[in-house]
Amino acid sequence: MSRNNALIAMACLFSLSCGSRAVVLARQDGDRHVVRLALSVDPRFLDPHRAGDVYSARQCGLAYESLVDYQYPSPPEPQLVPCLARHMPEITDEGRTYTFTLRDDISFQDDPCFPNGVGRGVTAQDAVYSLKRLMSLAEGGFWVLENKVPGLDDWRRRFLATGNPQARDRLFDEPVEGLTILDDYTFQIRLRSPYPQLLWALSLPYGAIVPREAVERYGLDFSRHPVGTGPFMLKEYVKKQHLIWTRNPKYREIYFPQLDSTDTRQNNYKDIFRRKWEQEGALDPGDWDRYMAPHIGKHIPLADELQFLIIPEASTMWMEFLAGTIDCYERLNKEQFDRAFAGTANSKNSAVSPDTLLSREIREQGIHLQICDDPSITYLVFNMEDERVGGYDERHKQLRRAISLCMDRAYLISTYLNGRGRPANMLIPPGVRGYDPDYRTPWGGYDPQQARALLKAAGYSVSRNSSGEWVTCESPDGAPLELSVEFRSATQGTRDIARFYTICAQEIGIRLQCNLQTFPEFLRRAAEGKGQLYDANWTMDYPDAQNVFQLLYGPNRRPGVNYAAYRNDRYDRLYEELQVLSDSVPEEWQRKSEMIREMSAIVDEDVPWVYLYYNRLFVLYHDWCSPAKPLPMSTRAYRYVVSDPATRLEWVRHTNTMFRLPAVLFALLFVGIVAAFVYKIVEQQRG
C-alpha cells in the first residue's frame, strides 16, 4: 500500500471511531438537552477574579454572575441590565456614588463549604467581600478598581504586605472607606472621581460575587472548585479531557431570554417583547424565528448539561465535529482552515466559500454558519523609544507611515484569514460607540508607491538593485534598512502572517527579521522594550472607547498596557478628560465624540500603531443545535444555547451508518497490509 493510501485508511479508521463515539454519546443523552463543545486548551482558571483570558472567562460565566449583565438580545450599541442587582444602581454625587440593591431570591449553589451542604442566600456583605477579594490578588482583574475607591488601594497594599494567613483573613473584616453596607441587601461604592466605566467593568467576571466560605475552605483549589450563583454547576473536570457542567437546580426563576415571572404573566408577552427588541434594533431579519421564538419563556438555562471536550489538535476537533460529537465549531482560525478544510477558502472542499456562504457539501450535512464581528483589533506596535522606528521627528513619522501604507490588508484578509476580518480604519473597533465606518486613517490604504515616496522625502535612499528588488537604506552609502518584529507564538498561522509582513515590507525595500517566540517571552520582551515592532491584538473588555484609548496613554507605558511607550501631551490631556465622560449623558457624549475624533487625528499624525484588521468570528453548528444570537463582549451566552437530542440521535445514526462500510473496508485493508508487512519481516528474520 502506498503512503497516501495508508494515511487515507488511518483517517477512515479515526473517522469510524469518532462516529462510534458520537452514536454512543447521543444514546447516553436520552431526552436530556446536552450541548457538546470543544476547547483547544484547558481554562487557566475557574476563579472569576483571575479569569483574564477568554477560555477562563467563558467557563466562569457558567457558575458565576455579577451585579449587571449585557442585555440579550443586544441592540447595536450594547446595553447593561440588572443581574444580581434588583435594578440598576442609583448614581448620585455627580457620578461618584453607586448604591446597589441585591435581589432577595439569590442563593449560592449547594456545596460542602456551607453548613449541611446547603447554599445560603447572597447578601450585601458577599458583594463587598468579593470586591475586597478581587483587590487582594496579586494578579487578575484588580485593575478595574485600582485607584478608584477611597481606602481600597491602601487596604490592598496592607493585605499584600501581610504574610500571616490569619492576619490576612482578619483584614477582610476591616472597613474600607469607599465600601459601605447599608443593610442586608444594599451597599454603596464611593469613587474618588467619576468612573463611568464602572458598570461595564463590574459586568466582567472580575465583578462576580463569590462566597467567603468556599474561598477559605478550598484555598488554592478554589480555582478548580467554583461555587457561584449561576445557572450551571461543575459536575466533573478531568484536566486535558473534559469539563462537564450540569444545571443548577437552585437557579432562580429567570425565563428566556431575561424575563421574570411578572413578564411572562402578561398577555401576549411574546409579541410585546418582540416589538420592543425590534424597536431597539436588537433583532435583525430572521433573528426572531432563528433565535428567539423557539425558546422565549423557557426557564434559563436552556440546556440540561454542557460538556467541553479538550481537543488540542485542530484536525481532530474538525473530525469530531463532522462526526456529530461536537455541536458547534467555534472561533475558526487560519490553521484550522488550512488543515481541516484541505486548503484555502477558494478550495472546493473548503467549509466556507469566498462569499462567506457554506459550500454545498457542508450544507448538505445540515451544518450552518454564523458570522459576527468580534470587538477586537489586530495591529503592529512601534517601539517609540527605539532609535530607528521611534521618535517624533518628521523622518521617523514618515518611516512609520510608509510601513503602514505597504500593508495590503485586503490581501491579508482574503488570503491568510479566509475573509474573517475587515480592514481597520481607526483605533476603535465596530460594536463600540465612537466607531465611525466612514473615518479613514490617511495611512490605512495599500500604496507602496506612495510609501516609497514618503521614505525618499524623509531622506532615505530607495532604489532597485541589480535583481530588480527594492532596497531602502538610511543614506545612499548606508546598509539596507532591517527591522525586527516580535511575534506572540510560533504556530503555522503566525509563520504565515510573518511571511506576509516580510513580503509587504520588501515592496518598500525594508527587510524584516521576524522573531517567533512563546507568549510569555513576547510579553517579557515587550514589557522590557526589547524589539522594534510588536504583532499585537486587543479585544475590548467593554464597549467604551476609553478601553482602547488607554493603550496609548503616556502614564500607562510599559510595563503597563502602552507597549509602544507612546507619549503625546495633548493626547494624554484629552484621555484624562475622556475617561470620566459618560456615553449615556447626551452633553458628555457630545464632548466625548469630539475628543475621539481629535485623539484619532493625533494618533494618525504620530503613527505609533499600524492598524491592520478587525476580526470576524465564524461559527459552524449542526441542525440540532440552537446557538445564541451573537453577544460578543459577554461571557455568559452559553446559558442561551441548547440542542435537540432526538434530531442529534437520528443524524448521527444516519450519517455514521452511511460512512461506516467504506471506513471499515479501508480500515481492514490497512490492518491487512500492516499484518502482511509484519509477517514479511518475521519471515526475513527467520531466513
Side-chain angles (χ1 to χ4, degrees), residues 61-64 109 228-234 245-248 251 301-306 638-641:
L62 300 171
Y64 293 102
Q109 67 182 61
T229 63
F232 291 98
M233 303 167 58
L234 185 62
W245 299 84
T246 189
R247 178 191 294 271
N248 177 4
Y251 194 61
L302 295 181
D304 297 310
E305 187 170 286
L306 295 180
Y638 286 135
R639 64 184 63 192
Y640 307 123
V641 179

Side-chain angles (χ1 to χ4, degrees), residues 542-557:
Y542 42 79
D544 189 303
Q546 170 272 338
N547 188 242
V548 69
F549 278 116
Q550 68 171 329
L551 303 180
L552 291 171
Y553 178 51
N556 285 344
R557 70 180 303 280

Side-chain angles (χ1 to χ4, degrees), residues 328-447:
C328 296
Y329 194 62
E330 297 186 346
R331 299 187 73 90
L332 301 171
N333 59 34
K334 172 63 175 152
E335 288 185 59
Q336 290 166 349
F337 269 91
D338 289 346
R339 297 172 59 191
F341 303 150
T344 67
N346 297 316
S347 168
K348 66 178 182 180
N349 294 321
S350 172
V352 182
S353 57
D355 61 357
T356 72
L357 297 175
L358 289 174
S359 63
R360 181 175 57 83
E361 293 87 350
I362 293 296
R363 217 167 40 244
E364 288 175 351
Q365 296 183 53
I367 294 174
H368 307 278
L369 173 66
Q370 183 186 72
I371 301 176
C372 68
D373 288 320
D374 185 43
S376 65
I377 180 173
T378 296
Y379 53 99
L380 280 171
V381 178
F382 290 105
N383 181 353
M384 296 296 285
E385 294 179 342
D386 179 77
E387 62 181 11
R388 282 196 168 178
V389 301
Y392 299 85
D393 58 286
E394 195 63 23
R395 177 181 172 89
H396 288 98
K397 287 181 183 179
Q398 297 289 53
L399 171 62
R400 296 193 293 270
R401 293 165 183 168
I403 292 174
S404 183
L405 285 168
C406 81
M407 295 292 164
D408 190 346
R409 294 159 179 81
Y411 184 76
L412 167 65
I413 292 167
S414 64
T415 303
Y416 291 86
L417 303 178
N418 301 93
R420 292 169 299 114
R422 63 171 72 177
N425 60 298
M426 66 183 303
L427 195 67
I428 304 172
V432 177
R433 194 172 192 190
Y435 171 73
D436 181 358
D438 297 323
Y439 184 91
R440 291 291 180 270
T441 174
W443 324 113
Y446 174 58
D447 193 340

Side-chain angles (χ1 to χ4, degrees), residues 170-189:
R170 288 194 295 271
L171 281 173
F172 282 106
D173 297 319
E174 291 190 6
V176 170
E177 180 184 350
L179 300 175
T180 305
I181 296 174
L182 301 180
D183 59 42
D184 285 349
Y185 296 105
T186 311
F187 72 99
Q188 281 184 342
I189 300 176

Side-chain angles (χ1 to χ4, degrees), residues 178-213:
L179 300 175
T180 305
I181 296 174
L182 301 180
D183 59 42
D184 285 349
Y185 296 105
T186 311
F187 72 99
Q188 281 184 342
I189 300 176
R190 288 194 297 110
L191 302 169
R192 297 178 186 275
S193 59
Y195 177 26
Q197 298 82 24
L198 175 65
L199 294 181
W200 295 119
L202 292 179
S203 73
L204 297 167
Y206 303 142
I209 295 182
V210 302
R212 184 170 181 174
E213 297 95 323

Side-chain angles (χ1 to χ4, degrees), residues 308-341:
F308 293 86
L309 309 182
I310 312 299
I311 306 176
E313 288 295 325
S315 56
T316 305
M317 192 184 294
W318 175 243
M319 295 295 288
E320 294 282 18
F321 173 71
L322 291 181
T325 306
I326 299 169
D327 299 347
C328 296
Y329 194 62
E330 297 186 346
R331 299 187 73 90
L332 301 171
N333 59 34
K334 172 63 175 152
E335 288 185 59
Q336 290 166 349
F337 269 91
D338 289 346
R339 297 172 59 191
F341 303 150

